[in-house]
Amino acid sequence: MIIDTHAHIDMADFDADREEMIERARDNGVKYIVNIGCDIPSSHRSVALTEEHDFIYAAVGIHPHDVKDIDADTYLELKELLQHPRVIAVGETGLDYFKNYSPHDLQREHFRKHIELAREHKKPLVIHTRDAKEDTIAILREYYPNDPNARSGIFHCFTGDQELADAALAMGFYISFSGVVTFKNAEELRSVAKTIPADRLFVETDCPYMAPVPMRGKRNEPAYVNHTAEFLAELRGTSVQDLHRTVELNFFDLYGIGSKAKSGTISYQIRNSLYLNLTQRCTANCVFCTRISKPIVQGYNLALDREPTAQEVWESIDDPTKYDEVVFCGYGEPTLRLDVIKEVAKKIKDAGGRVRLNTNGHGNVINKRNILPELEGLVDSVSISLNADNSDAYDEVSQPLPNYRGRIYDEILKFIEEAKRYIPDVQATIVTHQKDVDEDKCEEIAGKQFGVKYRPRRYNIVG
């Protein structure tokens, strides 16, 4: 199931076949549609659609193109519409300095008024911005403090650069991509789309405009959101099922519609790998990690009421051979449960499966011995979180336990060197864009010093 978070199916383009088009959306797995108001008449039509179809919701607002037509009654009508139980957002609103259909000063004035309306009614904001990055960021910062965990609203049909995306994310906004990301000339946009954290990602059609490849040139409609979803999933290195699950959870987090992910997940599939969630305990508290505040990975809730037994972990694996690999991971440090790793890994190997271990490299210190000989023959691949190029930077980024600080980085380096003796495939990883971390030096440490693979990754992109 997929969600079209921004559509205009009330427009005249759909008058001839609106019901058939809506049925096609259902037939193609569209679970929800959010129909967006651009002016008072379209806002009323959007609300009417929600009363006719139980899977359609509405946003109401005045597009920046149309703010020149706002009169004394406009905000009174918007406030009345916002009382409707199926109106879930304010917008679309924002700034458009590309077409300039309304004066810039009026756009800025009414953008602020829409923001104030959203805050008054405690609704998310749906933002349209084009060629107006500086003013958009500046105005939003007047109202939204930097809080990446907030649920401020959506930058819809995102076509901006990395600076705009980073600013939006810092203020708690979600980023939604339309069919534009599939266009041949959208290379810069695709580079941005790769960096958006999974828990801040949406897809949309913005129909009837901008149909995605391979439907480009046709009238766009909600059923076509699948093409954008499939494109984004491939671009970001996930499966489309991963993207659908993530978008559905994001929709619930922002709007409270649908259902939240159930906690207590032991095994979870991303792409064609099966991950095993052994623990939420860890010997580090990395600055980028949300294992305590929001233990969500690709739409899975990894919060554990208790740690699963080895038997429960094994029983959560349907068939180890159907996956590319089975990964001991979770939202914590798996070597805190070394005995479970060894017991379950042996069963996976005996069944013909492949095993990977994701670890922070603290395992020898945790267990007060060299554990790597015990993993020989049980683990085919190990991914070790290097995370920094020196001890001081590591302590800042990874925030290890107090009694580990100042010494654990050297133990990680020893762990990488020792791992090569017992495990066929070893890689060192870092989470990119961390202050005071020299990423080039990290790559040099992995490749030249240790001769292992190096993998930089942006946190919460793939999982």
Side-chain angles (χ1 to χ4, degrees):
M1 306 295 285
I2 190 61
I3 297 166
D4 186 357
T5 58
H6 196 108
H8 300 282
I9 62 173
D10 62 288
M11 288 189 168
D13 304 66
F14 299 107
D15 283 352
D17 66 339
R18 183 169 289 107
E19 292 305 314
E20 293 88 340
M21 174 271 298
I22 290 172
E23 192 59 33
R24 279 195 297 275
R26 280 192 179 277
D27 290 344
N28 281 275
V30 177
K31 188 170 186 177
Y32 302 113
I33 298 170
V34 184
N35 206 71
I36 309 294
C38 294
D39 53 24
I40 292 299
S42 66
S43 293
H44 277 287
R45 294 195 300 267
S46 297
V47 172
L49 281 166
T50 73
E51 294 172 344
E52 297 164 5
H53 301 278
D54 62 3
F55 76 122
I56 298 178
Y57 291 83
V60 298
I62 313 298
H63 194 285
H65 288 341
D66 299 310
V67 296
K68 63 184 181 299
D69 300 320
I70 286 177
D71 61 28
D73 294 328
T74 298
Y75 285 99
L76 292 175
E77 291 196 64
L78 287 177
K79 287 183 178 182
E80 184 177 344
L81 286 166
L82 282 164
Q83 302 305 314
H84 195 283
R86 296 179 70 82
V87 173
I88 59 176
V90 172
E92 62 188 284
T93 180
L95 304 173
D96 193 314
Y97 294 173
F98 178 72
K99 292 191 175 180
N100 295 310
Y101 289 163
S102 288
H104 290 187
D105 59 341
L106 275 182
Q107 291 190 45
R108 290 189 290 269
E109 175 189 347
H110 290 292
F111 187 25
R112 286 186 172 93
K113 286 186 175 180
H114 274 70
I115 294 170
E116 291 163 5
L117 190 66
R119 291 168 69 83
E120 176 188 347
H121 290 267
K122 296 181 172 56
K123 302 282 187 185
L125 201 65
V126 177
I127 296 174
H128 168 109
T129 181
R130 191 172 184 191
D131 286 4
K133 176 176 69 176
E134 290 79 11
D135 281 357
T136 300
I137 293 172
I139 290 172
L140 287 172
R141 281 178 175 161
E142 296 174 14
Y143 298 90
Y144 297 95
N146 276 3
D147 180 2
N149 295 315
R151 298 177 176 91
S152 306
I154 299 177
F155 271 65
H156 105 90
C157 189
F158 189 86
T159 56
D161 60 13
Q162 192 66 56
E163 181 185 8
L164 180 60
D166 289 343
L169 293 167
M171 290 183 280
F173 285 89
Y174 294 73
I175 306 292
S176 182
F177 293 95
S178 71
V180 174
V181 76
T182 72
F183 295 175
K184 186 180 295 185
N185 62 351
E187 284 299 328
E188 183 178 356
L189 181 61
R190 285 191 278 276
S191 70
V192 175
K194 291 179 182 179
T195 73
I196 304 303
D199 62 357
R200 290 284 148 173
L201 183 69
F202 281 121
V203 290
E204 63 176 81
T205 58
D206 200 16
C207 66
Y209 313 111
M210 297 174 296
V213 176
M215 299 300 180
R216 193 171 183 186
K218 298 182 179 181
R219 181 197 68 178
N220 202 2
E221 61 179 72
Y224 296 171
V225 73
N226 285 293
H227 296 294
T228 303
E230 289 165 4
F231 184 92
L232 272 175
E234 183 174 356
L235 177 71
R236 291 165 59 84
T238 67
S239 71
V240 72
Q241 290 82 11
D242 294 334
L243 189 138
H244 287 184
R245 186 178 55 253
T246 296
V247 166
E248 188 166 353
L249 181 57
N250 293 346
F251 194 74
F252 177 82
D253 285 345
L254 181 60
Y255 291 126
I257 296 168
S259 57
K260 64 181 180 181
K262 293 181 179 179
S263 61
T265 300
I266 297 176
S267 64
Y268 54 103
Q269 182 178 351
I270 299 176
R271 302 173 302 276
N272 197 42
S273 296
L274 187 71
Y275 291 78
L276 303 178
N277 183 21
L278 301 188
T279 183
Q280 275 189 275
R281 292 180 292 142
C282 195
T283 47
N285 187 26
C286 297
V287 295
F288 48 77
C289 182
T290 61
R291 66 187 175 87
I292 301 301
S293 61
K294 189 179 181 181
I296 304 294
V297 173
Q298 296 293 332
Y300 296 107
N301 187 339
L302 304 189
L304 292 170
D305 296 328
R306 62 174 179 81
E307 294 179 339
T309 65
Q311 185 62 26
E312 287 171 330
V313 173
W314 171 245
E315 289 175 354
S316 77
I317 306 170
D318 47 356
D319 176 6
T321 63
K322 68 186 279 190
Y323 303 102
D324 294 337
E325 56 187 355
V326 180
V327 186
F328 289 94
C329 184
Y331 232 145
E333 172 47 41
T335 60
L336 285 162
R337 306 200 67 203
L338 181 62
D339 289 345
V340 173
I341 292 174
K342 288 161 43 178
E343 181 177 340
V344 177
K346 184 178 187 308
K347 292 180 178 180
I348 294 169
K349 294 296 293 180
D350 288 347
R354 177 179 170 82
V355 172
R356 173 156 65 97
L357 170 65
N358 287 356
T359 175
N360 62 14
H362 299 184
N364 288 350
V365 177
I366 290 168
N367 292 283
K368 298 181 173 58
R369 65 181 187 275
N370 180 7
I371 66 172
L372 287 157
E374 302 169 39
L375 300 179
E376 186 175 19
L378 299 179
V379 175
D380 302 287
S381 175
V382 61
S383 179
I384 303 165
S385 297
L386 179 64
N387 277 351
D389 57 287
N390 63 76
S391 180
D392 289 342
Y394 181 87
D395 286 351
E396 286 300 311
V397 169
S398 295
Q399 301 285 307
L401 294 174
N403 59 320
Y404 283 28
R405 293 177 70 89
R407 69 184 183 97
I408 195 63
Y409 186 74
D410 288 339
E411 295 296 332
I412 294 169
L413 298 182
K414 292 176 186 176
F415 193 87
I416 294 172
E417 180 65 39
E418 187 73 1
K420 296 189 300 180
R421 298 178 55 193
Y422 301 101
I423 297 174
D425 181 21
V426 180
Q427 69 173 356
T429 72
I430 70 163
V431 172
T432 62
H433 297 76
Q434 300 305 314
K435 184 180 177 182
D436 299 327
V437 173
D438 188 324
E439 296 179 16
D440 290 336
K441 284 187 179 179
C442 290
E443 184 173 11
E444 187 175 325
I445 290 169
K448 291 186 178 180
Q449 182 173 340
F450 292 114
V452 301
K453 296 176 183 176
Y454 172 71
R455 181 181 171 231
R457 63 188 185 90
R458 188 133 174 179
Y459 182 72
N460 198 14
I461 303 302
V462 176

